[in-house]
Amino acid sequence: MAAAADRVGRDPSDTRVIAVTKGHPVAVVEAALAAGLRDLAENRVEALVERVPAFRDRDCRWHMVGRLQRRKAPEVRGLVELLHSLDSLKLARRLERTAEDGDPVLAALVQVNTSGEDSKGGLTPDNAVAAVGEMLEMSSIELRGLMTMAPYTDDEAVLRSTFRTLREVNDRLIAELDGYEGEELSMGMSNDFELAIEEGSTMVRLGTVLFGERDG
Ligand SMILES: *Cc1c(COP(=O)(O)O)cnc(C)c1O
């Protein structure tokens, strides 16, 4: 990570590691904390419901990185530090509708599909301004930036363009939307985090490269 930051003159401390412990036993979470990692992530609400309370009095923050079903959406409020996968206006509307008086505000990143793959979720770059504009009006959600998932490939040009497009969409939102600051870009996984850092990532979501292969 430091070498990648160095190559483009970025400060290495401007990119945080989000340690994705999904599919690994609790002993791996303990090992991550012992190694000094403080940001942990799961991709299923069920795993968060189990793990967040179990680590409540420990020095760590939890993130939700996977697709969030609308039915389960209200459960993440108050549970996670940051939702990385706010992937549609429908999901945002449901989160807003189900928030009750006194509930904590949910910090979130808007997922944008910058690879063009059908299998990936998220807003399209073309509808991002309109959709994020509406999300900014929602008082129970606080937008911190954007997230994307790159295709699984070794093609550097494809990966770079996926990440660069996210940065460009973020710049456009900052320019066009009052109240949008876009301080975080969650991009880069085990396969492609160096390129993502070179393209401006502030959060890399790492599983395999830290903890090895998952079961199943
Ligand atoms: C599993 C997962 C990761 C981590 O993937 P690795 O390739 O193991 O680093 C990152 N982001 C999301 C959304 C994931 O589901």
Side-chain angles (χ1 to χ4, degrees):
M1 285 179 65
D6 229 40
R7 282 196 285 278
V8 293
R10 295 188 65 208
D11 185 336
S13 68
D14 286 347
T15 309
R16 242 199 287 180
V17 175
I18 311 300
V20 184
T21 52
K22 72 177 181 202
H24 290 288
V26 170
V28 165
V29 181
E30 289 289 356
L33 292 176
L37 293 161
R38 290 292 171 263
D39 288 278
L40 306 166
E42 293 288 335
N43 70 337
R44 289 170 44 248
V45 174
E46 292 80 0
L48 288 164
V49 165
E50 207 178 290
R51 290 185 173 186
V52 175
F55 287 85
R56 187 71 81 187
D57 54 358
R58 306 288 291 276
D59 180 15
C60 62
R61 299 172 287 266
W62 288 92
H63 300 246
M64 169 73 188
V65 296
R67 180 158 185 281
L68 178 58
Q69 291 175 301
R70 284 206 289 283
R71 191 166 51 82
K72 299 197 180 136
E75 292 182 55
V76 301
R77 186 181 296 281
L79 203 58
V80 295
E81 168 88 8
L82 184 64
L83 168 67
H84 289 235
S85 44
L86 180 54
D87 60 4
S88 71
L89 206 40
K90 274 188 174 167
L91 177 59
R93 286 181 186 138
R94 169 137 174 93
L95 285 163
E96 176 75 354
R97 211 167 46 236
T98 53
E100 292 173 15
D101 278 355
D103 277 355
V105 170
L106 177 67
L109 305 178
V110 179
Q111 185 172 347
V112 182
N113 181 344
T114 57
S115 69
E117 287 181 299
D118 287 343
S119 61
K120 299 284 194 288
L123 307 179
T124 64
D126 284 344
N127 71 16
V129 172
V132 172
E134 183 172 334
M135 291 177 192
L136 283 170
E137 302 295 315
M138 300 177 179
S139 58
S140 76
I141 298 172
E142 181 187 313
L143 300 184
R144 297 267 174 82
L146 304 181
M147 179 272 223
T148 197
M149 306 261 295
Y152 191 77
T153 175
D154 289 331
D155 187 332
E156 192 177 312
V158 169
L159 293 169
R160 268 192 203 283
S161 120
T162 302
F163 298 138
R164 197 167 295 164
T165 301
L166 191 72
R167 202 179 60 206
E168 288 166 0
V169 171
N170 198 46
D171 289 344
R172 180 148 36 100
L173 295 173
I174 292 170
E176 296 190 19
L177 295 172
D178 275 346
Y180 179 82
E181 291 178 10
E183 61 269 44
E184 304 285 357
L185 291 178
S186 170
M187 54 189 198
M189 302 174 32
S190 293
N191 183 53
D192 52 32
F193 66 94
E194 288 113 323
L195 290 175
I197 291 169
E198 289 182 25
E199 296 298 335
S201 170
T202 66
M203 292 182 170
V204 286
R205 308 178 308 270
L206 305 178
T208 313
V209 73
L210 295 175
F211 308 123
E213 298 288 336
R214 295 174 281 272
D215 291 338

